[in-house]
Amino acid sequence: MDVLVLTPDLDIVGVLDTFESLIWVDRYNDSGDFEIYSKVSMEILSLLQKDYYLWRRSSERLMIIEDITIKFDVNDGNTVIFAGRSIESILNRRIIWSQTTIKGSLQLGIKTLLDENAIAPILPERTIPKLIFETSTDPAITSLELEAQFIRTNLFESVRDICQAFDIGFKIVLSDDLSTLVFKLYAGENRSYAQFLNPYIIFSPKFDNLISSTYKESQSSVKNVNVVAGEGDEETRKMVTVGEASGLDRREMATDAGDISQTVDGVLITDAEYLAQLEQRGVEELLEYWEQPVFEGEIDPNVNPKYGEDFFLGDIVQLANEIGLSSTARISEFTYSQSPTDINAYPTFVIIEE
């Protein structure tokens, strides 16, 4: 699989078609990552430079070369490893500079965060060149509403946490003319037995499309009840509790949300609005401690259904393994690996219905 190499100005400077191995991971609502392992040569060191972009045509995502490691070995020869994250990680280079309150459309709220801190900020030096926002018309996105407050939090982490809380995806892709970077919100299609609009996508050894699988459940770090405290001292702080559980099933945590102010632009917002913002923070914090069952499988890329044609990152599909475990799951990430002798594809499925 050839990999196009682009400069930060989106100019194509070459094609990488010779390497020892490649691992490329796309994620639904987080940044992806990659690693390329190769013999050292002046050609590859000249072509693959730090901050350059990589693009495989079978993946929507761009990757950024962030790490270059050269190893010298008398016996095995000299090798180089190029590694980095997907281009969504450029949002990690900005913070939410000023107090920003979102109330209403989730999509409009995320657009505001991006406009004010990356696309068209007041300080021109904060602008991320060539980045634009594309508005979704999908009801799965346009119907979502959010009430939250941000100040001096990381832009990428804030966008990621919102998307994960609402189980939607985000991505930055190249425009068709390769001139701009386009930020998009999206929701995967439901292709499971739980719907009738799309053809079913089923992964099972019975259909010869699931070579191997691993199912994992863990509750060692799970929290399901979050007590969130707002601004002020202990006697005056407003507090909310997010989540419900009792007895041994109850696993508590606490979140200090003192950075969320009840005064916005000099105006005191209502208690109901303020508590809603605290609840949103509580939901986002709980997600870090919520471990859903994970199903990892190796699929045959040469057998239907095919990734990028019949199903896509973020889609909901049907799983069934040899012991009769059947689940509805979302494709949360997709790993492509290539070596001189083998090509493998590894979806990671997050169980959403048991």
Side-chain angles (χ1 to χ4, degrees), residues 89 93 115 128 142 155 177 186 194 204 206 242 261 348:
S89 66
R93 305 179 188 185
D115 283 344
I128 294 180
T142 59
L155 178 60
D177 62 1
Y186 71 107
S204 169
K206 294 181 180 180
V242 179
S261 174
T348 296

Side-chain angles (χ1 to χ4, degrees), residues 171-276:
K171 57 188 174 182
I172 296 176
V173 301
L174 274 173
S175 60
D176 292 340
D177 62 1
L178 309 185
S179 66
T180 54
L181 301 171
V182 186
F183 179 96
K184 299 181 180 183
L185 296 173
Y186 71 107
E189 294 285 345
N190 192 337
R191 304 180 191 278
S192 72
Y193 290 152
Q195 53 80 46
F196 303 100
L197 297 177
N198 298 309
Y200 299 141
I201 299 295
I202 308 157
F203 291 100
S204 169
K206 294 181 180 180
F207 293 95
D208 296 324
N209 58 15
L210 189 62
I211 299 172
S212 65
S213 64
T214 301
Y215 179 84
K216 179 181 179 181
E217 290 185 66
S218 175
Q219 287 195 317
S220 60
S221 302
V222 167
K223 303 292 183 184
N224 52 24
V225 175
N226 191 1
V227 179
V228 186
E231 65 179 344
D233 56 40
E234 287 304 315
E235 295 183 355
T236 61
R237 300 178 83 173
K238 291 183 172 61
M239 303 177 67
V240 296
T241 300
V242 179
E244 295 182 0
S246 60
L248 288 176
D249 291 333
R250 187 177 178 93
R251 299 165 182 255
E252 298 177 346
M253 64 175 289
T255 295
D256 185 345
D259 60 309
I260 299 180
S261 174
Q262 195 164 357
T263 303
V264 178
D265 296 329
V267 177
L268 190 69
I269 63 176
T270 67
D271 286 350
E273 292 174 315
Y274 187 64
L275 293 176

Side-chain angles (χ1 to χ4, degrees), residues 2-291:
D2 293 346
V3 179
L4 291 179
V5 184
L6 300 87
T7 70
D9 291 326
L10 304 183
D11 297 320
I12 298 175
V13 294
V15 178
L16 177 66
D17 55 9
T18 303
F19 46 82
E20 294 296 313
S21 66
L22 164 70
I23 300 174
W24 186 290
V25 184
D26 293 332
R27 294 188 173 92
Y28 179 54
N29 46 26
D30 205 343
S31 58
D33 53 65
F34 82 98
E35 181 179 283
I36 293 174
Y37 176 83
S38 175
K39 297 292 186 182
V40 171
S41 68
M42 292 306 299
E43 289 78 12
I44 197 168
L45 292 178
S46 175
L47 179 62
L48 301 187
Q49 299 184 31
K50 192 170 62 175
D51 294 329
Y52 274 24
Y53 300 152
L54 303 178
W55 182 37
R56 291 173 50 245
R57 294 190 183 276
S58 59
S59 169
E60 288 187 297
R61 303 323 201 252
L62 290 170
M63 297 288 179
I64 305 174
I65 301 174
E66 297 177 303
D67 304 311
I68 302 175
T69 305
I70 301 175
K71 296 183 179 181
F72 300 97
D73 190 297
V74 174
N75 297 318
D76 297 330
N78 304 327
T79 58
V80 59
I81 298 174
F82 302 92
R85 295 171 294 170
S86 62
I87 199 167
E88 290 80 14
S89 66
I90 61 175
L91 302 181
N92 200 53
R93 305 179 188 185
R94 298 291 184 270
I95 64 168
I96 298 174
W97 198 268
S98 306
Q99 182 188 44
T100 306
T101 299
I102 296 174
K103 183 180 180 181
S105 166
L106 179 149
Q107 177 169 228
L108 181 58
I110 289 181
K111 183 178 186 301
T112 298
L113 295 178
L114 292 173
D115 283 344
E116 294 182 354
N117 299 285
I119 296 175
I122 294 175
L123 295 175
E125 57 267 31
R126 300 188 68 226
T127 302
I128 294 180
K130 300 183 181 294
L131 181 63
I132 64 173
F133 185 99
E134 181 178 295
T135 302
S136 172
T137 58
D138 184 351
I141 300 298
T142 59
S143 63
L144 298 176
E145 295 196 351
L146 172 68
E147 188 155 344
Q149 186 182 128
F150 306 89
I151 182 169
R152 289 185 292 276
T153 54
N154 182 272
L155 178 60
F156 172 82
E157 292 176 359
S158 297
V159 171
R160 178 200 63 195
D161 291 350
I162 293 171
C163 290
Q164 290 182 354
F166 286 85
D167 200 21
I168 58 174
F170 68 97
K171 57 188 174 182
I172 296 176
V173 301
L174 274 173
S175 60
D176 292 340
D177 62 1
L178 309 185
S179 66
T180 54
L181 301 171
V182 186
F183 179 96
K184 299 181 180 183
L185 296 173
Y186 71 107
E189 294 285 345
N190 192 337
R191 304 180 191 278
S192 72
Y193 290 152
Q195 53 80 46
F196 303 100
L197 297 177
N198 298 309
Y200 299 141
I201 299 295
I202 308 157
F203 291 100
S204 169
K206 294 181 180 180
F207 293 95
D208 296 324
N209 58 15
L210 189 62
I211 299 172
S212 65
S213 64
T214 301
Y215 179 84
K216 179 181 179 181
E217 290 185 66
S218 175
Q219 287 195 317
S220 60
S221 302
V222 167
K223 303 292 183 184
N224 52 24
V225 175
N226 191 1
V227 179
V228 186
E231 65 179 344
D233 56 40
E234 287 304 315
E235 295 183 355
T236 61
R237 300 178 83 173
K238 291 183 172 61
M239 303 177 67
V240 296
T241 300
V242 179
E244 295 182 0
S246 60
L248 288 176
D249 291 333
R250 187 177 178 93
R251 299 165 182 255
E252 298 177 346
M253 64 175 289
T255 295
D256 185 345
D259 60 309
I260 299 180
S261 174
Q262 195 164 357
T263 303
V264 178
D265 296 329
V267 177
L268 190 69
I269 63 176
T270 67
D271 286 350
E273 292 174 315
Y274 187 64
L275 293 176
Q277 294 177 9
L278 295 182
E279 288 178 3
Q280 179 61 30
R281 175 68 61 82
V283 169
E284 293 173 3
E285 293 291 329
L286 269 182
L287 281 175
E288 297 184 17
Y289 299 91
W290 177 250
E291 297 188 13

Side-chain angles (χ1 to χ4, degrees), residues 210 213-215 293-297 319 321 325 347-351:
L210 189 62
S213 64
T214 301
Y215 179 84
V294 173
F295 190 107
E296 295 180 340
L319 301 178
N321 67 8
L325 176 66
T348 296
F349 308 93
V350 176
I351 307 300

